[in-house]
Amino acid sequence: MRKKGNKVIKILIYALCILLTIMSIMPFLIMVINSTRSTTEIQAHAISLIPSKYLLNNFKILVGKSFNPFRGFINSLIISVGVTVCTVYFSTLTAYALTAYNWKLRQPFFTFIMAILMIPTQLVNIGFYQFMYKIHMTNSFLPLILPAIAAPSCVFFMRQFMIPSLHLDLLNAARIDGAKEFYIFNKIVLPIMKPAIATQAIFAFVSSWNNLFLPMILLTKQEKYTMPIMVSLLKGDIYKTEYGSIYMGLTLTVLPLFVVYFLLSKYIIAGVALGGVKG
């Protein structure tokens, strides 16, 4: 009787997982299919699971706009990769300083980082723009990349992962062998932190890639536009909106996020498996 009950529960769990998977995939599937349909077809039936024949036409409309989507793709890639590298590397370095070294102000410094985490970003965006305008840093990618060096939430995550995973005896052994501090961090600590780095890299890349507000107020030249800005401007004229080209732009915007996830997901799975073994 117990085995039969367990079997029913297992079936229900599988059914729930399949349902959640379908619900997660369906919006992306509809978006891709709509990128192959015309504006008239989308207005007539917003949801369809049958692809149409207007993919190339939508692509021509997208490319025929006053801006270059390929340029926007490259701009978004430069910013997102820069933000991801800065966020992951310097946050891990900060977490390493908070974990591996015993210094007097370590706890107050960590408390200060957590206090910054409580401040909404919307409160500082206007002041940040005014500061960038005064030092003539608008229409540059640097104001969108360099602030990623200070990422309180990433520092907190890295520190929490590092506390049980990093053994100080290993670091002391490396120091006895004559290894320098940056060599220890780059060659010993970073490989240990791969699962956490992969997780935060996905979050940082997705957040930067989808960022619209700050790039829109800092970047005013068309050659500097990112993909989210270009997609937000795909509204045609006042008489007609090309929904097919909008879905095409959205599809092109989402594709890199899938690529980044599939490249880094194996490290996340490895980290979960490692945590299970430790438990």
Side-chain angles (χ1 to χ4, degrees):
M1 197 72 181
R2 174 182 283 183
K3 289 183 179 180
K4 189 174 181 180
N6 291 338
K7 189 175 181 180
V8 172
I9 293 174
K10 187 180 292 186
I11 292 174
L12 290 176
I13 291 174
Y14 281 127
L16 180 61
C17 290
I18 293 172
L19 178 63
L20 292 175
T21 302
I22 294 173
M23 291 175 62
S24 300
I25 294 175
M26 191 60 66
F28 298 102
L29 181 62
I30 293 174
M31 179 185 65
V32 174
I33 291 175
N34 280 346
S35 68
T36 69
R37 303 169 70 207
S38 66
T39 299
T40 305
E41 290 176 339
I42 295 173
Q43 288 176 333
H45 302 284
I47 298 177
S48 175
L49 298 179
I50 302 175
S52 189
K53 56 183 180 180
Y54 294 93
L55 179 66
L56 291 179
N57 186 58
N58 291 332
F59 185 75
K60 289 178 181 178
I61 294 174
L62 179 66
V63 176
K65 296 293 182 180
S66 58
F67 45 78
N68 185 355
F70 296 106
R71 182 72 259 175
F73 189 91
I74 297 299
N75 292 341
S76 291
L77 192 63
I78 292 172
I79 295 172
S80 299
V81 171
V83 166
T84 302
V85 172
C86 289
T87 298
V88 168
Y89 185 83
F90 288 99
S91 296
T92 308
L93 189 62
T94 305
Y96 176 67
L98 291 169
T99 305
Y101 300 107
N102 188 14
W103 40 292
K104 189 175 182 180
L105 297 178
R106 181 172 69 172
Q107 190 57 41
F109 183 73
F110 179 68
T111 303
F112 175 72
I113 293 176
M114 291 297 97
I116 295 177
L117 184 60
M118 299 297 111
I119 301 175
T121 56
Q122 291 82 356
L123 295 179
V124 300
N125 281 338
I126 296 177
F128 179 73
Y129 169 76
Q130 291 176 338
F131 177 59
M132 291 297 105
Y133 181 80
K134 288 181 180 179
I135 63 175
H136 307 289
M137 287 285 285
T138 56
N139 285 311
S140 172
F141 294 155
L142 291 179
L144 298 171
I145 296 175
L146 293 181
I149 292 174
S153 59
C154 188
V155 171
F156 174 76
F157 183 89
M158 293 298 185
R159 178 180 176 272
Q160 296 305 111
F161 186 91
M162 194 175 293
I163 289 175
S165 302
L166 187 64
H167 300 287
L168 299 182
D169 293 339
L170 181 64
L171 307 181
N172 293 329
R175 294 188 184 105
I176 293 173
D177 290 337
K180 303 297 182 181
E181 293 302 318
F182 271 100
Y183 181 89
I184 294 174
F185 176 75
N186 292 323
K187 298 296 183 179
I188 298 177
V189 177
L190 287 183
I192 294 175
M193 297 293 293
K194 271 185 180 180
I197 289 173
T199 303
Q200 289 302 308
I202 291 174
F203 290 149
F205 188 90
V206 171
S207 177
S208 177
W209 186 272
N210 292 332
N211 190 13
L212 174 63
F213 178 70
L214 202 55
M216 182 170 281
I217 64 176
L218 286 174
L219 306 175
T220 57
K221 294 181 179 179
Q222 285 192 4
E223 62 268 21
K224 298 287 186 178
Y225 281 175
T226 61
M227 278 299 291
I229 295 177
M230 292 184 177
V231 171
S232 70
L233 298 176
L234 285 174
K235 296 181 181 179
D237 52 36
I238 61 175
Y239 301 106
K240 185 178 181 181
T241 298
E242 293 289 349
Y243 290 107
S245 63
I246 292 177
Y247 279 108
M248 172 63 68
L250 291 172
T251 301
L252 293 177
T253 303
V254 169
L255 284 179
L257 305 182
F258 284 106
V259 173
V260 170
Y261 175 77
F262 286 123
L263 287 176
L264 299 179
S265 60
K266 62 179 181 179
Y267 296 108
I268 300 175
I269 296 171
V272 173
L274 183 61
V277 172
K278 286 183 177 179

